[in-house]
């Protein structure tokens, strides 16, 4: 909703009056606004999906894949060996 020119003029007068009366209040409000913007930017960044996994995640995934392959290979070899021993 747009504000009328009178309302904008009145708000500008109030702002000037507050800046003249209490500069510490202005500094606090600016600090608060900056923190709010950073928090909002961080929340927006976290809500977006990541495009690439981190290097450590890729290394861990590859390591688990290799371990699973090794375990499966060892199980196959053991079961074949036991099956061959039972056949005789």
């Amino acid at each position: 909703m747009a504000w009328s020119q009178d309302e904008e003029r009145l708000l500008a007068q109030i702002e000037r009056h507050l800046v003249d009366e209490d500069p510490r209040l202005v500094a606090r409000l600016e600090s608060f606004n900056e923190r709010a913007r950073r928090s909002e930017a961080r929340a927006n960044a976290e809500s977006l999906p990541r495009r690439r996994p981190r290097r450590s995640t890729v290394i861990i995934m590859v390591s688990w894949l290799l371990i699973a392959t090794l375990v499966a290979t060892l199980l196959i070899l053991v079961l074949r060996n036991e099956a061959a021993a039972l056949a005789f």
Side-chain angles (χ1 to χ4, degrees):
M1 180 171 104
W3 296 34
S4 71
Q5 289 182 347
D6 290 334
E7 290 171 328
E8 288 185 20
R9 184 181 46 76
L10 183 59
L11 284 173
Q13 287 177 349
I14 293 171
E15 182 181 1
R16 280 194 300 273
H17 179 69
L18 286 174
V19 167
D20 293 341
E21 286 291 316
D22 194 358
R24 285 180 26 201
L25 174 64
V26 174
R28 286 184 200 152
L29 290 174
E30 287 175 356
S31 173
F32 174 78
N33 287 338
E34 180 60 32
R35 283 184 282 160
R37 277 192 293 271
R38 280 186 296 206
S39 176
E40 186 176 290
R42 187 171 39 249
N44 288 339
E46 289 174 356
S47 67
L48 296 175
R50 292 187 79 152
R51 293 184 184 158
R52 288 180 45 191
R54 286 190 261 165
R55 181 185 295 189
S56 60
T57 304
V58 172
I59 291 171
I60 291 170
M61 289 171 38
V62 169
S63 298
W64 276 109
L65 180 65
L66 289 174
I67 290 169
T69 304
L70 178 64
V71 169
T73 303
L74 289 174
L75 282 174
I76 290 171
L77 289 174
V78 167
L79 292 175
R80 279 188 183 174
N81 192 16
E82 287 181 5
L86 291 176
F88 289 111

